[in-house]
Amino acid sequence: MSRPEEQLRDLRIDRRPGAARPRSRRKWFVLGGVATIIVALVVVMSGRPVPVETAVARSAAEAGPPTLLDASGFVTARRIATVSAEVTGRVAEVLIEEGMTVEEGQVLARLDATEAQAQLDLASAQVASSESQLAEARTQLSLAEVTLKRQQELIGRQLVSQSALDQAKADRDARAARLAALQKAAQVAREQRALAAIGVENTEIKAPFSGVIVAKAAQPGEMISPISAGGGFTRTGIGTLVDMDSLEVNVDVNEAFIGRVQPKMPVEAVLNAYPDWRIPGSVIAIVPTADRTKATVKVRIALDSRDPRIVPDMGVRVSFLAPVDPAAPAPSGAFVPEAAIVQPAPPAEGEDAVPPAVFVVEDGAARRVEVALGASANAERLVTAGLAGGETVIVAPPPGLADGDRVAVAAPGGR
């Protein structure tokens, strides 16, 4: 039997670097991992529901016509303007903010009108002076005509000489000529006043059409000019105005498939910001030019919706739909997400091929349904047989999911 000192030495822990650790700890770690795996298997085998994500199968009859082609593009505005002043001046007041809706003719900003108003006041004074001179000339002409008439009566009585009559005629003609000149001068003064009034009016910057302000570019105190200042600090616009009723979609279609697109054909647009919102529309025109760098042709699309959620420069994906024959029978089947399709492994030699399938949730359990597949579009697949639409299918079924397994919907939703 060992002495007590030797037994105590065996129980001491060696803490020096590089010292060998007892193998008993490693054994406990291994046993702990095995126990964890066993507990997990017990929980799975005990019938705990498998968390899954689901989607609702869309009936093919309600989904509309099949898609011939998909293309991506952006929402653009056909009517957009950077609003500027017609004259160079200092900004006195800005009356717009981003997102504001304005009407045609509404004042957006005002420039300093001190000089323009002074020009208008001067022109108005000149008009008043011309009008006064014109009134005096009319009076003098009337007097000259009366004098001429009197001289004509006296010459008939031989009471005055012929020279007096000639003098009266010359005076009347001179008065008439001066009146005509003053009338022309008064007309010029009035036109100058109208021009000065336009100058004052040009200090008010108005909306050329109704729309929404999407950018505010100037502040009070800044200089603004309709002509670029060549890199200086002069602004060339007050803001940017967009007519939201002129929004359309421009998409680039691969030139190899442009033959499938026809004017006025129906389309379905999906905004990247709202992937569950399908917007009907139609083809406006095919722009008759191609982009040699991308090998695409631009197509203009009109949207049937004027929803405020649609804004310029939004990304959009457009599906060109096949024409519908009213006499054709309604399509059968349903559309499901591509990720819901379970593709079987290739059969071994001598074995029959297993058809693809989807898992349908019924009463909290997964039911495997064999299906026949059709065309795919927009990350969806047409199931021509096996589903009718409205079923809740499992998206991306977990590996090992079997028919009859209990499931828990982690993120239910429809597409």
Side-chain angles (χ1 to χ4, degrees), residues 341 343 356 371-375 381-385:
I341 306 297
Q343 296 287 358
V371 296
L373 302 180
R381 193 69 177 268
L382 174 62
V383 175
T384 58

Side-chain angles (χ1 to χ4, degrees), residues 190-215:
R190 285 191 289 267
E191 291 178 355
Q192 288 178 342
R193 182 180 62 181
L195 184 61
I198 293 176
V200 174
E201 184 179 354
N202 286 340
T203 61
E204 290 188 344
I205 304 173
K206 300 180 180 180
F209 52 83
S210 300
V212 176
I213 301 296
V214 298

Side-chain angles (χ1 to χ4, degrees), residues 51-306:
V52 295
E53 295 183 3
T54 62
V56 178
R58 298 190 302 120
S59 172
E62 299 176 355
T67 299
L68 296 180
L69 179 68
D70 291 333
S72 58
F74 297 92
V75 177
T76 60
R78 297 292 294 178
R79 202 177 185 191
I80 181 171
T82 298
V83 184
S84 181
E86 296 188 18
V87 295
T88 301
R90 183 176 60 85
V91 179
E93 188 178 13
V94 179
L95 306 175
I96 59 172
E97 293 293 342
E98 290 87 347
M100 179 186 295
T101 301
V102 298
E103 300 295 332
E104 181 178 355
Q106 180 176 336
V107 177
L108 307 182
R110 291 186 176 91
L111 303 183
D112 185 3
T114 303
E115 182 178 353
Q117 187 63 46
Q119 292 288 345
L120 178 59
D121 295 342
L122 177 60
S124 299
Q126 290 175 344
V127 170
S129 176
S130 298
E131 294 289 349
S132 177
Q133 295 177 8
L134 192 60
E136 180 184 359
R138 288 195 182 99
T139 303
Q140 292 177 352
L141 178 61
S142 298
L143 179 60
E145 288 178 346
V146 170
T147 303
L148 176 61
K149 186 177 180 181
R150 184 181 299 114
Q151 293 294 332
Q152 288 174 342
E153 292 175 353
L154 294 175
I155 196 67
R157 300 176 185 177
Q158 297 182 353
L159 298 177
V160 294
S161 63
Q162 182 65 35
S163 62
L165 177 61
D166 294 341
Q167 181 64 34
K169 287 183 178 179
D171 186 60
R172 192 276 312 268
D173 293 341
R175 302 290 183 183
R178 185 171 183 272
L179 177 61
L182 289 175
Q183 287 176 336
K184 293 291 185 181
Q187 179 63 28
V188 171
R190 285 191 289 267
E191 291 178 355
Q192 288 178 342
R193 182 180 62 181
L195 184 61
I198 293 176
V200 174
E201 184 179 354
N202 286 340
T203 61
E204 290 188 344
I205 304 173
K206 300 180 180 180
F209 52 83
S210 300
V212 176
I213 301 296
V214 298
K216 179 181 176 181
Q219 297 292 341
E222 293 184 314
M223 292 297 296
I224 187 171
S225 173
I227 303 174
S228 176
F233 295 97
T234 301
R235 300 283 186 181
T236 56
I238 288 293
T240 302
L241 178 63
V242 175
D243 182 4
M244 292 301 178
D245 290 336
S246 69
L247 294 182
E248 63 180 38
V249 174
N250 288 346
V251 297
D252 292 328
V253 177
N254 192 306
E255 61 184 14
F257 305 109
I258 195 63
R260 302 181 186 179
V261 181
Q262 299 296 328
K264 299 183 179 180
M265 74 181 301
V267 302
E268 193 175 63
V270 177
L271 299 173
N272 295 344
Y274 305 98
D276 297 330
W277 182 25
R278 300 176 181 273
I279 310 171
S282 59
V283 176
I284 299 176
I286 302 171
V287 180
T289 185
D291 188 335
R292 67 173 65 182
T293 60
K294 298 187 294 184
T296 58
V297 177
K298 183 178 293 186
V299 178
R300 295 174 53 202
I301 305 295
L303 299 178
D304 295 344
S305 176
R306 289 293 179 263

Side-chain angles (χ1 to χ4, degrees), residues 3-58:
R3 291 182 303 174
E5 294 82 356
E6 294 178 355
Q7 292 178 356
L8 290 175
R9 190 182 303 113
D10 292 338
L11 293 175
R12 185 177 301 163
I13 298 176
D14 190 355
R15 300 184 181 276
R16 293 175 300 171
R21 300 295 179 93
R23 294 187 177 181
S24 58
R25 287 193 175 185
R26 187 178 303 170
K27 182 188 301 181
W28 285 113
F29 283 131
V30 174
L31 291 178
V34 173
T36 302
I37 295 175
I38 294 175
V39 170
L41 291 176
V42 170
V43 171
V44 173
M45 297 301 293
S46 64
R48 184 177 182 180
V50 179
V52 295
E53 295 183 3
T54 62
V56 178
R58 298 190 302 120

Side-chain angles (χ1 to χ4, degrees), residues 389-401:
E391 297 89 347
T392 301
V393 298
I394 298 176
V395 180
L401 184 66

